[in-house]
Amino acid sequence: MTGDRTTIRTVDGLVAAGLAPDQAALEEVAERYAIAISPAVRRRVGPGPDDPVAAQFVPTTSELIVSADELTDPIGDDPFTPVTGVTHRYRDRVLLKPLGMCPVYCRFCFRREAVGPEHGILPDGDLAVAFDYIRGHEEIWEVILTGGDPLMLPPARLERVLDGLDAIAHVKVVRIHTRVPVVSPERIRPRLLSVLRRRTPVWVVLHCNHRQEIGAEASAALGALADGGIPLLSQTVLLRGVNDSATALEELFRALVENRVKPYYLHHADLARGTGHFRTAIEEGRDIVRRLRGDVSGLCQPTYVLDIPGGHGKVPIADSCVERSPDGSYLVTDRRGARHRYPPVPEGTGQ
Ligand SMILES: *Cc1c(COP(=O)(O)O)cnc(C)c1O
Ligand code: SF4
């Protein structure tokens, strides 16, 4: 029997909690991809069949449908992995994955083939090799801890990782990608906050997709991080049936800013296997972003990005507002769709 205070990790647990129907095929999903619904998330699940929190974490048989375009390594990390636990795609920053576990398992996860409870903490030997790699590449200005969720590490282990990075002079910034403040807010304790305060500034980027995820406990955890001097950003995945409307995103981004979190990226959903039911068309995403731009504070505007499959990196994909007209001047589209002329640079001073 799964109580309210434990993380649900099995189909039986989901059925007992009334979160999923008793379907034999769900076991097949569970064999492929990890399940976890933390107690805090369970408290945020609303009634009704189309709940935007449940839809992110409760497995469905749609995950068994894999299209030919979907990939086990959707954003092409493997070719950019010089040593275990490190992904180096862009010159000035690397990903360091100190563990492969998450507090919840998102059904649309772009790393779903690489995360799960069986993917534990990066062993000491691998961590040492990862530090050697970072030390040997002076162009690395920023280290992004991701995984898995780095805030799931025992604080002593996180401290060890951060101490190691502090000792590398050219690493000026550490970033932590996490869902913990919202899905396991009880982990944001004074000990963790003191581990995050150090010589090298630590920025926290929260993954959050719907206003309903942010309850009083999450607000308190975000407030504690902000009061602790940690700059907070967020990333959101655009997901069909969860947040694919300008209204849902406006509510989310306002709530984040009210909690001192600056929306950073809105990700177009990646081509992870068995996630087609979550993906929108790029035009739908652009339409939503255009509407937000017109009506909502600039603080609430993330950059809409696509990670190009094959490892070619992230690119902004919102509409361009500027076109060159045949006479050489520019045509700039305003938030209502009207176009305005903007002059080119005068002859002789540019092109
Ligand atoms: C997304 C990503 C980053 C971070 O990119 P930013 O645009 O700086 O947020 C870094 N490395 C890899 C491999 C990534 O996929
Ligand atoms: S928290 Fe991130 S890495 Fe973990 S399952 Fe969700 S999307 Fe994947």
Side-chain angles (χ1 to χ4, degrees), residues 102-106 108-112 115 147-149 179 207:
C102 297
V104 285
Y105 291 102
C106 311
F108 48 85
C109 175
F110 67 129
R111 269 192 214 124
R112 57 192 332 213
V115 298
D149 194 318
R179 246 186 186 290
H207 172 186

Side-chain angles (χ1 to χ4, degrees), residues 77-88 97:
D77 281 348
D78 294 345
F80 295 91
T81 300
V83 300
T84 304
V86 172
T87 307
H88 194 181
K97 301 170 185 171

Side-chain angles (χ1 to χ4, degrees), residues 19-273:
L19 289 171
D22 195 356
Q23 260 171 320
L26 275 186
E27 292 291 356
E28 214 180 308
V29 179
E31 276 166 30
R32 293 190 197 178
Y33 305 112
I35 295 170
I37 300 183
S38 64
V41 163
R42 202 173 152 190
R43 289 194 286 276
R44 303 307 301 163
V45 172
D50 301 320
D51 184 72
V53 175
Q56 294 182 61
F57 307 109
V58 176
T60 64
T61 53
S62 302
E63 292 173 50
L64 298 172
I65 304 167
V66 178
S67 82
D69 288 325
E70 291 175 345
L71 305 163
T72 51
D73 179 25
I75 67 169
D77 281 348
D78 294 345
F80 295 91
T81 300
V83 300
T84 304
V86 172
T87 307
H88 194 181
R89 188 188 338 270
Y90 305 107
R91 192 177 62 84
D92 75 338
R93 55 211 191 275
V94 289
L95 307 182
L96 172 59
K97 301 170 185 171
L99 88 171
M101 285 179 284
C102 297
V104 285
Y105 291 102
C106 311
R107 307 325 299 170
F108 48 85
C109 175
F110 67 129
R111 269 192 214 124
R112 57 192 332 213
E113 319 279 342
V115 298
E118 72 281 17
H119 299 274
I121 292 177
L122 190 69
D124 284 347
D126 289 341
L127 186 63
V129 172
F131 284 152
D132 286 343
Y133 180 85
I134 295 168
R135 207 177 293 116
H137 288 77
E138 290 193 3
E139 71 276 20
I140 298 172
W141 170 84
E142 177 185 23
V143 174
I144 301 166
L145 301 183
T146 180
D149 194 318
L151 296 188
M152 290 292 280
L153 286 172
R157 184 73 182 178
L158 182 61
E159 188 165 43
R160 182 111 182 257
V161 174
L162 293 174
D163 284 348
L165 296 174
D166 253 358
I168 303 174
H170 58 263
V171 174
K172 305 292 189 196
V173 172
V174 173
R175 194 197 308 184
I176 298 180
H177 283 178
T178 181
R179 246 186 186 290
V180 161
V182 164
V183 303
S184 292
E186 70 286 351
R187 286 181 177 268
I188 307 299
R189 286 192 284 257
R191 165 89 171 105
L192 179 65
L193 291 169
S194 74
V195 167
L196 296 178
R197 262 195 303 273
R198 54 188 47 255
R199 182 181 74 75
T200 316
V202 174
W203 289 58
V204 165
V205 181
L206 172 74
H207 172 186
C208 185
N209 301 323
H210 197 277
R211 167 75 185 90
Q212 195 180 307
E213 291 172 56
I214 309 171
E217 301 159 89
S219 273
L222 293 169
L225 286 163
D227 288 344
I230 309 289
L232 299 171
L233 302 174
S234 65
Q235 36 189 353
T236 294
V237 186
L238 179 61
L239 297 166
R240 180 178 302 290
V242 173
N243 60 14
D244 57 334
S245 72
T247 315
L249 289 182
E250 175 179 342
E251 285 173 4
L252 170 64
F253 297 148
R254 286 194 195 282
L256 288 167
V257 172
E258 288 162 21
N259 283 284
R260 289 181 278 176
V261 181
K262 167 73 184 95
Y264 172 52
Y265 277 153
L266 173 66
H267 294 272
H268 192 76
D270 292 311
L271 294 172
R273 281 153 52 92

Side-chain angles (χ1 to χ4, degrees), residues 2-24:
T2 308
D4 277 356
R5 286 161 202 280
T6 52
T7 295
I8 299 172
R9 297 187 182 277
T10 61
V11 174
D12 285 348
L14 292 167
V15 173
L19 289 171
D22 195 356
Q23 260 171 320

